[in-house]
Amino acid sequence: MAPLGDNVAPVAAAAAPGLVVSFGEMLIDFVPNVAGVSLAESGGFVKAPGGAPANVACAISKLGGSSAFVGKFGDDEFGHMLVDILKQSGVNAEGCLFDQHARTALAFVTLKSNGEREFMFYRNPSADMLLTEAELNLDLIRRARIFHYGSISLITEPCRSAHVAAMRAAKSAGILCSYDPNVRLPLWPSAQAARDGIMSIWKEADFIKVSDDEVAFLTQGDAHDEKNVLSLWFEGLKLLVVTDGEKGCRYFTKDFKGSLPGYSVDAVDTTGAGDAFVGSLLVSVAKDDSIFYNEAKLREVLQFSNACGAICTTKKGAIPALPTTATALELISKGSN
């Protein structure tokens, strides 16, 4: 392992940051208790709360930030369990609703031997898809410093219209918009529908995080060719971050660009790693958005985010594996890849 560079100091995400409101889906992930087998071969499953926007909200809270979640759940045991988990995690749940006629979404996750995963979803339709514009808690959204969302809430109506209305309300209130598309192809009618849907709101965001796989999918080109990455840039975007798994991340702003190495850990389940990364970054942005314009500060923050993402891969499930500031700083002290 190489030692940390002198110009990169650990940064903790602490001290009374502004509110981050996450919008979208929360569901139950059923994770096999043995890695490297198919769903059919698996002898049992571990029940884990999941859903990218909810993972981000819990990550923020666990790192000492202020977060809230806006979304809809089935009025069933799983739905109430998930909202209880949000509350126990310190997430403001006043934007959570229950639907008496639809179930909470479920996903069965296949874990490959390297910790990567595939998803099989049960949501036909699930309650999160049925959130309407009229049900939005716009007062909560307008209290935010940052409004964070993914793309799954764009797939079907009425949730798509609710998503767009919430995003427009945030933008008109001067709130920073954070977008992590979190591509889940099985949920879209086709690959092209996914590309079109994800890109339909692309230019509304102030900050976008994408994985290298998502760059390849969206550009239909090599994710490591900077021309392809920069084809996703647009005037007005403050920060584009590409996560490269254990290799770390690349960052692009109007004035500077660069990369930071990741951390070597024993990966068990990569579910939620990107959400831990985003959550830790948003804690810092909510506290001080000058990081968009100060490369030294941004590098400190991204180093911390890389550590948070790495730690999240060392346990099964997303929310149970989210790091604390102390565990992230401990990993940073050991050095990067």
Side-chain angles (χ1 to χ4, degrees):
M1 286 188 181
L4 294 176
D6 291 339
N7 63 334
V8 181
V11 65
L19 176 66
V20 181
V21 173
S22 276
F23 175 91
E25 71 285 350
M26 188 177 190
L27 59 150
I28 305 282
D29 287 333
F30 286 95
V31 185
N33 54 14
V34 177
V37 298
S38 70
L39 290 178
E41 292 166 337
S42 180
F45 297 87
V46 177
K47 181 180 64 181
N55 295 343
V56 169
C58 291
I60 289 165
S61 183
K62 196 161 182 183
L63 292 168
S66 173
S67 66
F69 183 76
V70 174
K72 203 171 194 183
F73 301 78
D75 190 9
D76 52 38
E77 227 171 303
F78 283 149
H80 287 278
M81 181 193 98
L82 290 175
V83 174
D84 284 344
I85 286 168
L86 287 175
K87 291 175 180 175
Q88 290 159 13
S89 300
V91 177
N92 178 326
E94 63 187 85
C96 296
L97 298 163
F98 293 96
D99 191 305
Q100 296 186 334
H101 306 292
R103 295 293 190 199
T104 300
L106 309 177
F108 285 83
V109 186
T110 307
L111 281 183
K112 298 178 185 173
S113 51
N114 65 354
E116 290 295 334
R117 71 270 190 241
E118 294 171 351
F119 296 88
M120 185 167 73
F121 293 94
Y122 286 77
R123 54 198 305 266
N124 296 308
S126 53
D128 60 285
M129 301 162 69
L130 302 177
L131 180 68
T132 66
E133 184 177 345
E135 292 172 318
L136 287 172
N137 187 331
L138 292 176
D139 289 340
L140 175 62
I141 291 167
R142 291 187 181 115
R143 296 207 306 268
R145 179 78 189 88
I146 299 169
F147 182 62
H148 174 74
Y149 47 86
S151 68
I152 289 173
S153 43
L154 296 170
I155 297 172
T156 53
E157 293 291 358
C159 191
R160 178 184 165 80
S161 291
H163 179 137
V164 171
M167 190 175 61
R168 299 237 160 105
K171 283 193 78 69
S172 64
I175 293 159
L176 289 169
C177 286
S178 163
Y179 188 21
D180 179 357
N182 249 298
V183 176
R184 296 287 181 266
L185 277 181
L187 295 178
W188 292 87
S190 68
Q192 193 54 48
R195 277 188 207 96
D196 293 345
I198 288 163
M199 297 306 295
S200 69
I201 61 164
W202 196 257
K203 294 186 177 180
E204 303 288 333
D206 295 289
F207 157 64
I208 296 173
K209 173 258 165 190
V210 281
S211 69
D212 49 356
D213 289 343
E214 288 164 343
V215 171
F217 171 71
L218 292 170
T219 66
Q220 299 180 74
D222 181 359
H224 301 286
D225 183 336
E226 200 168 285
K227 285 181 191 169
N228 290 326
V229 176
L230 290 176
S231 72
L232 298 172
W233 182 266
F234 60 88
E235 190 63 34
L237 185 61
K238 293 179 172 65
L239 174 65
L240 174 65
V241 174
V242 180
T243 53
D244 292 310
E246 65 180 21
K247 294 174 192 162
C249 67
R250 290 170 277 164
Y251 59 88
F252 303 85
T253 75
K254 184 166 62 78
D255 300 316
F256 50 79
K257 64 185 180 182
S259 63
L260 278 163
Y263 293 88
S264 287
V265 293
D266 294 325
V268 173
D269 177 9
T270 59
T271 309
D275 306 324
F277 180 99
V278 171
S280 65
L281 181 50
L282 294 183
V283 170
S284 296
V285 174
K287 189 170 57 172
D288 178 11
D289 66 7
S290 73
I291 68 163
F292 292 140
Y293 314 104
N294 182 320
E295 187 170 11
K297 279 187 184 178
L298 179 63
R299 287 179 69 81
E300 289 177 6
V301 166
L302 290 175
Q303 182 192 45
F304 186 78
S305 295
N306 277 346
C308 287
I311 289 165
C312 196
T313 69
T314 60
K315 291 182 191 172
K316 286 182 184 171
I319 291 171
L322 292 170
T324 61
T325 299
T327 55
L329 290 177
E330 184 183 350
L331 180 59
I332 288 170
S333 72
K334 293 176 182 174
S336 53
N337 283 343

